[in-house]
PDB file of all heavy atoms in Angstrom:
ATOM      1  N   LEU A  12       0.856  -1.178  -0.030  1.00  0.00           N
ATOM      2  CA  LEU A  12       0.015  -0.010  -0.011  1.00  0.00           C
ATOM      3  C   LEU A  12       0.898   1.247   0.015  1.00  0.00           C
ATOM      4  O   LEU A  12       1.789   1.364   0.844  1.00  0.00           O
ATOM      5  CB  LEU A  12      -0.892   0.029   1.237  1.00  0.00           C
ATOM      6  CG  LEU A  12      -1.796   1.239   1.376  1.00  0.00           C
ATOM      7  CD1 LEU A  12      -2.897   1.262   0.313  1.00  0.00           C
ATOM      8  CD2 LEU A  12      -2.387   1.325   2.779  1.00  0.00           C
ATOM      9  N   THR A  13       0.671   2.099  -0.957  1.00  0.00           N
ATOM     10  CA  THR A  13       1.390   3.390  -0.967  1.00  0.00           C
ATOM     11  C   THR A  13       0.420   4.509  -0.834  1.00  0.00           C
ATOM     12  O   THR A  13      -0.642   4.528  -1.404  1.00  0.00           O
ATOM     13  CB  THR A  13       2.236   3.596  -2.252  1.00  0.00           C
ATOM     14  OG1 THR A  13       1.349   3.657  -3.353  1.00  0.00           O
ATOM     15  CG2 THR A  13       3.199   2.446  -2.491  1.00  0.00           C
ATOM     16  N   ILE A  14       0.797   5.458   0.021  1.00  0.00           N
ATOM     17  CA  ILE A  14       0.001   6.691   0.233  1.00  0.00           C
ATOM     18  C   ILE A  14       0.964   7.816  -0.102  1.00  0.00           C
ATOM     19  O   ILE A  14       1.801   8.202   0.702  1.00  0.00           O
ATOM     20  CB  ILE A  14      -0.509   6.768   1.688  1.00  0.00           C
ATOM     21  CG1 ILE A  14      -1.252   5.523   2.091  1.00  0.00           C
ATOM     22  CG2 ILE A  14      -1.367   8.017   1.889  1.00  0.00           C
ATOM     23  CD1 ILE A  14      -1.662   5.448   3.538  1.00  0.00           C
ATOM     24  N   ASP A  15       0.816   8.352  -1.321  1.00  0.00           N
ATOM     25  CA  ASP A  15       1.806   9.284  -1.876  1.00  0.00           C
ATOM     26  C   ASP A  15       3.191   8.615  -1.850  1.00  0.00           C
ATOM     27  O   ASP A  15       3.383   7.624  -2.459  1.00  0.00           O
ATOM     28  CB  ASP A  15       1.769  10.609  -1.170  1.00  0.00           C
ATOM     29  CG  ASP A  15       0.654  11.512  -1.687  1.00  0.00           C
ATOM     30  OD1 ASP A  15       0.069  11.204  -2.766  1.00  0.00           O
ATOM     31  OD2 ASP A  15       0.330  12.548  -1.056  1.00  0.00           O
ATOM     32  N   ASP A  16       4.110   9.169  -1.051  1.00  0.00           N
ATOM     33  CA  ASP A  16       5.478   8.582  -1.043  1.00  0.00           C
ATOM     34  C   ASP A  16       5.700   7.624   0.123  1.00  0.00           C
ATOM     35  O   ASP A  16       6.835   7.213   0.354  1.00  0.00           O
ATOM     36  CB  ASP A  16       6.503   9.730  -0.998  1.00  0.00           C
ATOM     37  CG  ASP A  16       6.432  10.565   0.264  1.00  0.00           C
ATOM     38  OD1 ASP A  16       5.306  10.642   0.862  1.00  0.00           O
ATOM     39  OD2 ASP A  16       7.418  11.166   0.688  1.00  0.00           O
ATOM     40  N   GLN A  17       4.689   7.267   0.869  1.00  0.00           N
ATOM     41  CA  GLN A  17       4.807   6.298   1.918  1.00  0.00           C
ATOM     42  C   GLN A  17       4.433   4.928   1.405  1.00  0.00           C
ATOM     43  O   GLN A  17       3.406   4.742   0.787  1.00  0.00           O
ATOM     44  CB  GLN A  17       3.888   6.637   3.102  1.00  0.00           C
ATOM     45  CG  GLN A  17       4.112   7.966   3.769  1.00  0.00           C
ATOM     46  CD  GLN A  17       3.041   8.145   4.839  1.00  0.00           C
ATOM     47  OE1 GLN A  17       3.335   8.072   6.019  1.00  0.00           O
ATOM     48  NE2 GLN A  17       1.828   8.416   4.444  1.00  0.00           N
ATOM     49  N   SER A  18       5.252   3.899   1.672  1.00  0.00           N
ATOM     50  CA  SER A  18       4.961   2.547   1.254  1.00  0.00           C
ATOM     51  C   SER A  18       4.992   1.609   2.461  1.00  0.00           C
ATOM     52  O   SER A  18       5.853   1.770   3.356  1.00  0.00           O
ATOM     53  CB  SER A  18       5.983   2.047   0.206  1.00  0.00           C
ATOM     54  OG  SER A  18       5.806   2.759  -1.017  1.00  0.00           O
ATOM     55  N   MET A  19       4.108   0.641   2.467  1.00  0.00           N
ATOM     56  CA  MET A  19       4.086  -0.344   3.546  1.00  0.00           C
ATOM     57  C   MET A  19       3.587  -1.664   3.034  1.00  0.00           C
ATOM     58  O   MET A  19       2.762  -1.719   2.096  1.00  0.00           O
ATOM     59  CB  MET A  19       3.255   0.181   4.703  1.00  0.00           C
ATOM     60  CG  MET A  19       1.777   0.425   4.347  1.00  0.00           C
ATOM     61  SD  MET A  19       0.904   1.625   5.421  1.00  0.00           S
ATOM     62  CE  MET A  19       1.394   3.158   4.642  1.00  0.00           C
ATOM     63  N   VAL A  20       4.068  -2.767   3.576  1.00  0.00           N
ATOM     64  CA  VAL A  20       3.613  -4.127   3.226  1.00  0.00           C
ATOM     65  C   VAL A  20       2.559  -4.517   4.253  1.00  0.00           C
ATOM     66  O   VAL A  20       2.842  -4.496   5.464  1.00  0.00           O
ATOM     67  CB  VAL A  20       4.799  -5.106   3.225  1.00  0.00           C
ATOM     68  CG1 VAL A  20       4.293  -6.506   2.913  1.00  0.00           C
ATOM     69  CG2 VAL A  20       5.848  -4.701   2.193  1.00  0.00           C
ATOM     70  N   LEU A  21       1.387  -4.842   3.747  1.00  0.00           N
ATOM     71  CA  LEU A  21       0.276  -5.204   4.643  1.00  0.00           C
ATOM     72  C   LEU A  21      -0.315  -6.513   4.229  1.00  0.00           C
ATOM     73  O   LEU A  21      -0.176  -6.969   3.067  1.00  0.00           O
ATOM     74  CB  LEU A  21      -0.813  -4.107   4.537  1.00  0.00           C
ATOM     75  CG  LEU A  21      -0.414  -2.711   4.977  1.00  0.00           C
ATOM     76  CD1 LEU A  21      -1.581  -1.719   4.767  1.00  0.00           C
ATOM     77  CD2 LEU A  21       0.024  -2.679   6.432  1.00  0.00           C
ATOM     78  N   PRO A  22      -1.049  -7.227   5.138  1.00  0.00           N
ATOM     79  CA  PRO A  22      -1.710  -8.459   4.768  1.00  0.00           C
ATOM     80  C   PRO A  22      -2.801  -8.183   3.732  1.00  0.00           C
ATOM     81  O   PRO A  22      -3.542  -7.214   3.794  1.00  0.00           O
ATOM     82  CB  PRO A  22      -2.343  -8.930   6.106  1.00  0.00           C
ATOM     83  CG  PRO A  22      -1.557  -8.211   7.159  1.00  0.00           C
ATOM     84  CD  PRO A  22      -1.168  -6.878   6.577  1.00  0.00           C
ATOM     85  N   ALA A  23      -2.897  -9.068   2.743  1.00  0.00           N
ATOM     86  CA  ALA A  23      -3.902  -8.948   1.681  1.00  0.00           C
ATOM     87  C   ALA A  23      -5.235  -9.498   2.173  1.00  0.00           C
ATOM     88  O   ALA A  23      -5.659 -10.585   1.777  1.00  0.00           O
ATOM     89  CB  ALA A  23      -3.415  -9.632   0.418  1.00  0.00           C
ATOM     90  N   LYS A  24      -5.876  -8.732   3.012  1.00  0.00           N
ATOM     91  CA  LYS A  24      -7.163  -9.115   3.553  1.00  0.00           C
ATOM     92  C   LYS A  24      -7.806  -7.881   4.173  1.00  0.00           C
ATOM     93  O   LYS A  24      -7.182  -6.811   4.276  1.00  0.00           O
ATOM     94  CB  LYS A  24      -7.023 -10.243   4.604  1.00  0.00           C
ATOM     95  CG  LYS A  24      -6.204  -9.813   5.824  1.00  0.00           C
ATOM     96  CD  LYS A  24      -6.087 -10.972   6.818  1.00  0.00           C
ATOM     97  CE  LYS A  24      -5.266 -10.547   8.040  1.00  0.00           C
ATOM     98  NZ  LYS A  24      -5.179 -11.639   9.030  1.00  0.00           N
ATOM     99  N   GLY A  25      -9.053  -7.978   4.595  1.00  0.00           N
ATOM    100  CA  GLY A  25      -9.724  -6.880   5.206  1.00  0.00           C
ATOM    101  C   GLY A  25     -10.247  -5.877   4.216  1.00  0.00           C
ATOM    102  O   GLY A  25     -10.221  -6.094   3.010  1.00  0.00           O
ATOM    103  N   GLU A  26     -10.691  -4.740   4.730  1.00  0.00           N
ATOM    104  CA  GLU A  26     -11.293  -3.708   3.897  1.00  0.00           C
ATOM    105  C   GLU A  26     -10.633  -2.365   4.090  1.00  0.00           C
ATOM    106  O   GLU A  26     -10.267  -2.020   5.231  1.00  0.00           O
ATOM    107  CB  GLU A  26     -12.803  -3.599   4.209  1.00  0.00           C
ATOM    108  CG  GLU A  26     -13.568  -2.674   3.290  1.00  0.00           C
ATOM    109  CD  GLU A  26     -15.070  -2.769   3.458  1.00  0.00           C
ATOM    110  OE1 GLU A  26     -15.585  -2.137   4.394  1.00  0.00           O
ATOM    111  OE2 GLU A  26     -15.697  -3.565   2.700  1.00  0.00           O
ATOM    112  N   PHE A  27     -10.471  -1.646   3.024  1.00  0.00           N
ATOM    113  CA  PHE A  27      -9.895  -0.304   3.039  1.00  0.00           C
ATOM    114  C   PHE A  27     -10.928   0.653   2.441  1.00  0.00           C
ATOM    115  O   PHE A  27     -11.381   0.436   1.299  1.00  0.00           O
ATOM    116  CB  PHE A  27      -8.574  -0.274   2.255  1.00  0.00           C
ATOM    117  CG  PHE A  27      -7.491  -1.138   2.833  1.00  0.00           C
ATOM    118  CD1 PHE A  27      -7.522  -2.522   2.672  1.00  0.00           C
ATOM    119  CD2 PHE A  27      -6.462  -0.578   3.564  1.00  0.00           C
ATOM    120  CE1 PHE A  27      -6.561  -3.325   3.238  1.00  0.00           C
ATOM    121  CE2 PHE A  27      -5.464  -1.395   4.115  1.00  0.00           C
ATOM    122  CZ  PHE A  27      -5.543  -2.757   3.997  1.00  0.00           C
ATOM    123  N   ARG A  28     -11.196   1.698   3.138  1.00  0.00           N
ATOM    124  CA  ARG A  28     -12.193   2.688   2.698  1.00  0.00           C
ATOM    125  C   ARG A  28     -11.500   3.989   2.266  1.00  0.00           C
ATOM    126  O   ARG A  28     -10.751   4.563   3.046  1.00  0.00           O
ATOM    127  CB  ARG A  28     -13.210   2.950   3.782  1.00  0.00           C
ATOM    128  CG  ARG A  28     -14.396   3.800   3.334  1.00  0.00           C
ATOM    129  CD  ARG A  28     -15.525   3.798   4.370  1.00  0.00           C
ATOM    130  NE  ARG A  28     -15.192   4.570   5.578  1.00  0.00           N
ATOM    131  CZ  ARG A  28     -14.876   4.050   6.744  1.00  0.00           C
ATOM    132  NH1 ARG A  28     -14.838   2.727   6.880  1.00  0.00           N
ATOM    133  NH2 ARG A  28     -14.636   4.833   7.767  1.00  0.00           N
ATOM    134  N   VAL A  29     -11.758   4.398   1.010  1.00  0.00           N
ATOM    135  CA  VAL A  29     -11.136   5.616   0.500  1.00  0.00           C
ATOM    136  C   VAL A  29     -12.228   6.622   0.275  1.00  0.00           C
ATOM    137  O   VAL A  29     -13.252   6.354  -0.321  1.00  0.00           O
ATOM    138  CB  VAL A  29     -10.406   5.314  -0.828  1.00  0.00           C
ATOM    139  CG1 VAL A  29      -9.759   6.620  -1.391  1.00  0.00           C
ATOM    140  CG2 VAL A  29      -9.286   4.270  -0.607  1.00  0.00           C
ATOM    141  N   LYS A  30     -11.973   7.848   0.757  1.00  0.00           N
ATOM    142  CA  LYS A  30     -12.937   8.934   0.644  1.00  0.00           C
ATOM    143  C   LYS A  30     -12.242  10.283   0.623  1.00  0.00           C
ATOM    144  O   LYS A  30     -11.035  10.355   0.836  1.00  0.00           O
ATOM    145  CB  LYS A  30     -13.923   8.866   1.799  1.00  0.00           C
ATOM    146  CG  LYS A  30     -13.277   9.024   3.188  1.00  0.00           C
ATOM    147  CD  LYS A  30     -14.280   8.891   4.289  1.00  0.00           C
ATOM    148  CE  LYS A  30     -13.620   9.062   5.670  1.00  0.00           C
ATOM    149  NZ  LYS A  30     -14.612   8.988   6.772  1.00  0.00           N
ATOM    150  N   LYS A  31     -12.972  11.328   0.336  1.00  0.00           N
ATOM    151  CA  LYS A  31     -12.441  12.673   0.325  1.00  0.00           C
ATOM    152  C   LYS A  31     -12.008  13.067   1.719  1.00  0.00           C
ATOM    153  O   LYS A  31     -12.724  12.851   2.723  1.00  0.00           O
ATOM    154  CB  LYS A  31     -13.498  13.654  -0.211  1.00  0.00           C
ATOM    155  CG  LYS A  31     -13.041  15.099  -0.279  1.00  0.00           C
ATOM    156  CD  LYS A  31     -14.131  16.027  -0.778  1.00  0.00           C
ATOM    157  CE  LYS A  31     -13.686  17.487  -0.800  1.00  0.00           C
ATOM    158  NZ  LYS A  31     -14.734  18.399  -1.248  1.00  0.00           N
ATOM    159  N   ALA A  32     -10.869  13.698   1.832  1.00  0.00           N
ATOM    160  CA  ALA A  32     -10.375  14.172   3.120  1.00  0.00           C
ATOM    161  C   ALA A  32     -11.128  15.394   3.594  1.00  0.00           C
ATOM    162  O   ALA A  32     -11.695  16.169   2.747  1.00  0.00           O
ATOM    163  CB  ALA A  32      -8.886  14.502   3.036  1.00  0.00           C
ATOM    164  N   PRO A  33     -11.197  15.676   4.897  1.00  0.00           N
ATOM    165  CA  PRO A  33     -11.952  16.821   5.391  1.00  0.00           C
ATOM    166  C   PRO A  33     -11.212  18.158   5.312  1.00  0.00           C
ATOM    167  O   PRO A  33     -11.711  19.162   5.788  1.00  0.00           O
ATOM    168  CB  PRO A  33     -12.190  16.424   6.860  1.00  0.00           C
ATOM    169  CG  PRO A  33     -11.044  15.569   7.206  1.00  0.00           C
ATOM    170  CD  PRO A  33     -10.709  14.810   5.989  1.00  0.00           C
ATOM    171  N   PHE A  34     -10.052  18.182   4.704  1.00  0.00           N
ATOM    172  CA  PHE A  34      -9.266  19.399   4.542  1.00  0.00           C
ATOM    173  C   PHE A  34      -8.586  19.381   3.179  1.00  0.00           C
ATOM    174  O   PHE A  34      -8.593  18.338   2.503  1.00  0.00           O
ATOM    175  CB  PHE A  34      -8.251  19.560   5.664  1.00  0.00           C
ATOM    176  CG  PHE A  34      -7.259  18.430   5.781  1.00  0.00           C
ATOM    177  CD1 PHE A  34      -6.057  18.461   5.099  1.00  0.00           C
ATOM    178  CD2 PHE A  34      -7.575  17.287   6.527  1.00  0.00           C
ATOM    179  CE1 PHE A  34      -5.153  17.423   5.182  1.00  0.00           C
ATOM    180  CE2 PHE A  34      -6.664  16.236   6.598  1.00  0.00           C
ATOM    181  CZ  PHE A  34      -5.477  16.299   5.912  1.00  0.00           C
ATOM    182  N   SER A  35      -7.998  20.480   2.773  1.00  0.00           N
ATOM    183  CA  SER A  35      -7.378  20.607   1.445  1.00  0.00           C
ATOM    184  C   SER A  35      -5.920  21.029   1.581  1.00  0.00           C
ATOM    185  O   SER A  35      -5.471  21.447   2.629  1.00  0.00           O
ATOM    186  CB  SER A  35      -8.166  21.644   0.600  1.00  0.00           C
ATOM    187  OG  SER A  35      -9.523  21.304   0.509  1.00  0.00           O
ATOM    188  N   THR A  36      -5.224  20.920   0.456  1.00  0.00           N
ATOM    189  CA  THR A  36      -3.887  21.504   0.344  1.00  0.00           C
ATOM    190  C   THR A  36      -4.001  22.788  -0.542  1.00  0.00           C
ATOM    191  O   THR A  36      -4.645  22.727  -1.578  1.00  0.00           O
ATOM    192  CB  THR A  36      -2.893  20.491  -0.252  1.00  0.00           C
ATOM    193  OG1 THR A  36      -2.694  19.427   0.627  1.00  0.00           O
ATOM    194  CG2 THR A  36      -1.534  21.152  -0.534  1.00  0.00           C
ATOM    195  N   LEU A  37      -3.343  23.834  -0.129  1.00  0.00           N
ATOM    196  CA  LEU A  37      -3.421  25.101  -0.854  1.00  0.00           C
ATOM    197  C   LEU A  37      -2.094  25.337  -1.615  1.00  0.00           C
ATOM    198  O   LEU A  37      -1.031  25.353  -0.990  1.00  0.00           O
ATOM    199  CB  LEU A  37      -3.702  26.269   0.116  1.00  0.00           C
ATOM    200  CG  LEU A  37      -4.930  26.119   1.022  1.00  0.00           C
ATOM    201  CD1 LEU A  37      -5.102  27.363   1.825  1.00  0.00           C
ATOM    202  CD2 LEU A  37      -6.185  25.885   0.148  1.00  0.00           C
ATOM    203  N   LEU A  38      -2.187  25.496  -2.912  1.00  0.00           N
ATOM    204  CA  LEU A  38      -1.016  25.737  -3.754  1.00  0.00           C
ATOM    205  C   LEU A  38      -1.014  27.196  -4.233  1.00  0.00           C
ATOM    206  O   LEU A  38      -2.030  27.721  -4.662  1.00  0.00           O
ATOM    207  CB  LEU A  38      -1.043  24.854  -5.030  1.00  0.00           C
ATOM    208  CG  LEU A  38      -0.424  23.462  -4.898  1.00  0.00           C
ATOM    209  CD1 LEU A  38      -1.276  22.592  -4.000  1.00  0.00           C
ATOM    210  CD2 LEU A  38      -0.313  22.823  -6.265  1.00  0.00           C
ATOM    211  N   ILE A  39       0.163  27.812  -4.173  1.00  0.00           N
ATOM    212  CA  ILE A  39       0.334  29.161  -4.725  1.00  0.00           C
ATOM    213  C   ILE A  39       0.760  29.048  -6.197  1.00  0.00           C
ATOM    214  O   ILE A  39       1.659  28.293  -6.524  1.00  0.00           O
ATOM    215  CB  ILE A  39       1.407  29.927  -3.903  1.00  0.00           C
ATOM    216  CG1 ILE A  39       0.895  30.231  -2.522  1.00  0.00           C
ATOM    217  CG2 ILE A  39       1.784  31.205  -4.604  1.00  0.00           C
ATOM    218  CD1 ILE A  39       1.883  30.895  -1.618  1.00  0.00           C
TER     219      ILE A  39
END
């Protein structure tokens, strides 16, 4: 599983829920 530049090895089981975050990143 990678989250941007973070990688981790996890068991291939269970459930992962992906949704919109409650905050934003602001770019100039």
Side-chain angles (χ1 to χ4, degrees):
L12 177 69
T13 64
I14 307 172
D15 280 347
D16 62 333
Q17 300 177 105
S18 292
M19 60 204 85
V20 178
L21 299 177
K24 61 181 181 179
E26 187 169 82
F27 296 77
R28 188 167 72 253
V29 179
K30 60 183 180 177
K31 180 182 178 181
F34 58 92
S35 303
T36 293
L37 305 182
L38 273 68
I39 292 176

